[in-house]
Amino acid sequence: SAVISQKPSRDICQRGTSLTIQCQVDSQVTMMFWYRQQPGQSLTLIATANQGSEATYESGFVIDKFPISRPNLTFSTLTVSNMSPEDSSIYLCSARLRREGWVEQFFGPGTRLTVL
Amino acid sequence: GQQLNQSPQSMFIQEGEDVSMNCTSSSIFNTWLWYKQDPGEGPVLLIALYKAGELTSNGRLTAQFGITRKDSFLNISASIPSDVGIYFCAGRENTGTASKLTFGTGTRLQVTL
């Protein structure tokens, strides 16, 4: 079964700094997604990472704040820029892939970010 | 935007009891998914539903795709302590690979011995 991994698993950062989160899938996938999950909340889609083109952002999320790279079909990064305490969340990478008999959307373990 | 409302918001049940939760939408979906999230982990896919009226089981879990396409139900039979977690429904409007998932508000399940 394909596996989605993320690095780092957690980090504590200072206000005003930036953090880049990496997502690696062990098979080639067309669709990769980045989600934010604020404390005690549901998942909100930030953007769809497109290979070879710019990411597609959802309403309320902008490229300057959340730049995304997708250099190939197995890897993507999300940067949280100029962080503030309101950015403290779990950031989740997701990909549509074949696993356990489904072709569906699966998630990585998440990156827990705390901004002081 | 679309919203998926889940109920109940939280549940406290005893081990061995059956659990029911549901998810309702203001618009029609063509795919319903149910995920479980343990503390500190990403969501894990439990069941996928692709056809209105479909009833699908995965072990002790059973889920149904509502006839109206605006709701879905998840049942857990004979709950055990490892069922503890947050359950999310998710809906997809279109069947194409580019279509996005909308997530429900979540149901937090606590199981007491």
Side-chain angles (χ1 to χ4, degrees), chain B residues 6-7 11 18-23 33-36 46-47 49 56 58 60-65 72-77 87-89 107 109:
Chain B
Q6 275 184 253
S7 64
M11 311 178 69
D18 297 343
V19 173
S20 290
M21 60 190 78
N22 69 74
C23 190
L33 307 174
W34 285 91
Y35 291 87
K36 176 178 182 255
L46 300 174
I47 287 182
L49 301 158
T56 297
N58 180 6
R60 292 179 297 107
L61 277 61
T62 302
Q64 184 159 26
F65 191 143
S72 179
F73 302 86
L74 176 70
N75 296 317
I76 305 172
S77 63
Y87 292 79
F88 289 102
C89 63
T107 294
L109 179 62

Side-chain angles (χ1 to χ4, degrees), chain A residues 73-87:
Chain A
L73 291 175
T74 64
F75 187 78
S76 179
T77 68
L78 169 76
T79 299
V80 186
S81 304
N82 188 24
M83 288 183 284
S84 66
E86 292 71 35
D87 294 319

Side-chain angles (χ1 to χ4, degrees), chain A residues 9 13 16 27 31 34 38 40 45 48 78 84 92 100-101 106 109 114:
Chain A
S9 59
C13 300
S27 64
M31 309 296 294
W34 287 98
Q38 294 178 302
L45 180 63
T48 301
L78 169 76
S84 66
L92 293 152
E100 299 169 9
F106 291 87
T114 301

Side-chain angles (χ1 to χ4, degrees), chain A residues 29-47:
Chain A
V29 294
T30 304
M31 309 296 294
M32 291 182 76
F33 308 89
W34 287 98
Y35 286 81
R36 181 175 72 182
Q37 186 177 27
Q38 294 178 302
Q41 301 296 312
S42 185
L43 285 73
T44 301
L45 180 63
I46 297 172

Side-chain angles (χ1 to χ4, degrees), chain A residues 1-114:
Chain A
S1 297
V3 172
I4 304 173
S5 59
Q6 288 185 231
K7 285 196 296 187
S9 59
R10 57 177 61 229
D11 208 341
I12 300 173
C13 300
Q14 295 296 321
R15 181 195 299 261
T17 63
S18 297
L19 176 72
T20 295
I21 302 167
Q22 299 179 4
C23 178
Q24 179 76 53
V25 185
D26 68 357
S27 64
Q28 293 186 337
V29 294
T30 304
M31 309 296 294
M32 291 182 76
F33 308 89
W34 287 98
Y35 286 81
R36 181 175 72 182
Q37 186 177 27
Q38 294 178 302
Q41 301 296 312
S42 185
L43 285 73
T44 301
L45 180 63
I46 297 172
T48 301
N50 305 306
Q51 197 269 329
S53 64
E54 272 196 5
T56 304
Y57 289 83
E58 297 301 303
S59 176
F61 297 97
V62 295
I63 188 171
D64 289 348
K65 176 67 176 177
F66 297 102
I68 286 170
S69 79
R70 179 85 197 270
N72 57 52
L73 291 175
T74 64
F75 187 78
S76 179
T77 68
L78 169 76
T79 299
V80 186
S81 304
N82 188 24
M83 288 183 284
S84 66
E86 292 71 35
D87 294 319
S88 297
S89 291
I90 300 171
Y91 292 85
L92 293 152
C93 173
S94 177
R96 189 175 170 92
L97 47 84
R98 183 178 298 278
R99 189 171 173 185
E100 299 169 9
W102 287 306
V103 177
E104 255 312 333
Q105 196 165 327
F106 291 87
F107 285 83
T111 296
R112 184 179 295 270
L113 171 62
T114 301

